[in-house]
Amino acid sequence: MKKIFLSALCALGFWTMSTNANAQLVADIKAPLLADIEGMPPYKLGVTVGFNSSNFSVTGTDPKAGFNFGADLMLDASDLIQNTYVRLNLLIQRKGARYEWGDIIGNYSPEDGSHREFYGETKVRTWHLEIPMAYGYAYRLDKDWTLLGEMGPYFSLGLGGNYKYEGSLSNSSMKFYGNDIKYAGKTIVESPKRFDIGWGFAVGGMLWSQHQVKVGYQVGFINMNDAYQQNRNFMINYTYFFE
């Protein structure tokens, strides 16, 4: 009888310890993204760098490879909804596009209304100062890995850029902002607007709360001008967060 009592007591103790350990493991996994995990603060500041492939929404343009770099700030928003965060970025973006003039303006000739052949390619390269903002959700797989999903607006200011044309008319280069494209004294493409507002979506993963890889897409809402329509941008970014 004494042996049975001791065995039952040991089994009860083992079950209690196992239950507490499992409960602690679940609590660790479900803990907020930034707070209460290995002493992490309620915010994280990092530096980010990435590759982007940008384009204009009008038919006839092709993507142009570019890059971006800047600062990344993540704020814990778990007080609002568990495991959520707010992200703010300050980025310098190198964007652009490629196109054939004939595809864009339909072989337009302002002299007599007839068609004129425009052979050649134009490459557009632009610099932008951007402030993307996002609200996201973090799903912790374990103490090392976290999956992220986010979306939100961005605000962009065109800092500069240029057209580079190579073709049958002449090889030339001109500033992107502040210049109308003219032929025979008539404007065929107005100067693009510098300011842009849009919406971004992104998914990614974070390792050890310091290394993050994110894949995102931006859709611009502002018509740059009648010819080029809105900005489009695909990005792959790496961010290192300071401890």
Side-chain angles (χ1 to χ4, degrees):
M1 185 68 180
K2 186 177 180 180
K3 290 183 178 179
I4 295 175
F5 176 76
L6 290 175
S7 298
L9 188 61
C10 290
L12 179 61
F14 178 76
W15 179 81
T16 302
M17 292 170 51
S18 299
T19 302
N20 290 338
N22 289 333
Q24 184 61 43
L25 178 60
V26 172
D28 288 342
I29 293 176
K30 292 184 177 180
L33 172 67
L34 301 179
D36 303 328
I37 299 177
E38 299 177 359
M40 292 171 59
Y43 68 90
K44 294 182 72 64
L45 180 63
V47 291
T48 185
V49 62
F51 159 85
N52 56 276
S53 178
S54 58
N55 201 356
F56 303 138
S57 63
V58 66
T59 301
T61 62
D62 296 315
K64 185 75 174 165
F67 59 90
N68 65 86
F69 60 91
D72 195 323
L73 175 65
M74 291 182 69
L75 303 171
D76 183 19
S78 293
D79 289 341
L80 299 176
I81 300 177
Q82 184 74 10
N83 293 336
T84 62
Y85 62 91
V86 174
R87 184 194 298 276
L88 299 173
N89 286 112
L90 181 64
L91 297 177
I92 297 294
Q93 291 254 31
R94 179 69 156 162
K95 296 181 178 180
R98 297 182 296 111
Y99 53 85
E100 299 286 340
W101 268 116
D103 294 336
I104 298 298
I105 62 177
N107 297 327
Y108 175 79
S109 174
E111 293 179 320
D112 55 7
S114 64
H115 290 276
R116 174 188 174 89
E117 295 295 333
F118 283 80
Y119 298 104
E121 181 182 63
T122 293
K123 298 178 182 179
V124 176
R125 290 300 232 165
T126 57
W127 290 100
H128 299 260
L129 175 64
E130 286 191 3
I131 303 177
M133 306 169 64
Y135 183 74
Y137 182 82
Y139 179 77
R140 294 193 68 86
L141 298 177
D142 54 36
K143 66 183 181 65
D144 294 329
W145 287 95
T146 303
L147 297 181
L148 308 172
E150 63 189 46
M151 62 180 179
Y154 75 86
F155 306 90
S156 178
L157 176 65
L159 301 177
N162 68 323
Y163 300 96
K164 186 176 181 181
Y165 171 80
E166 296 179 355
S168 60
L169 299 181
S170 63
N171 294 344
S172 61
S173 178
M174 62 181 290
K175 292 181 179 180
F176 186 69
Y177 296 108
N179 279 314
D180 296 333
I181 296 180
K182 297 181 178 181
Y183 175 72
K186 259 196 167 181
T187 299
I188 40 181
V189 177
E190 295 180 350
S191 173
K193 300 179 179 69
R194 289 180 179 270
F195 185 66
D196 188 25
I197 300 174
W199 195 262
F201 312 83
V203 294
M206 182 180 289
L207 174 64
W208 301 324
S209 300
Q210 283 186 285
H211 306 278
Q212 178 189 274
V213 176
K214 185 175 68 173
V215 179
Y217 189 73
Q218 294 178 322
V219 178
F221 295 154
I222 304 298
N223 284 345
M224 299 173 62
N225 50 36
D226 292 338
Y228 294 113
Q229 302 302 312
Q230 300 94 8
N231 281 300
R232 300 288 184 264
N233 192 33
F234 171 79
M235 298 189 297
I236 301 177
N237 277 38
Y238 166 77
T239 301
Y240 176 80
F241 288 103
F242 303 106
E243 291 185 336

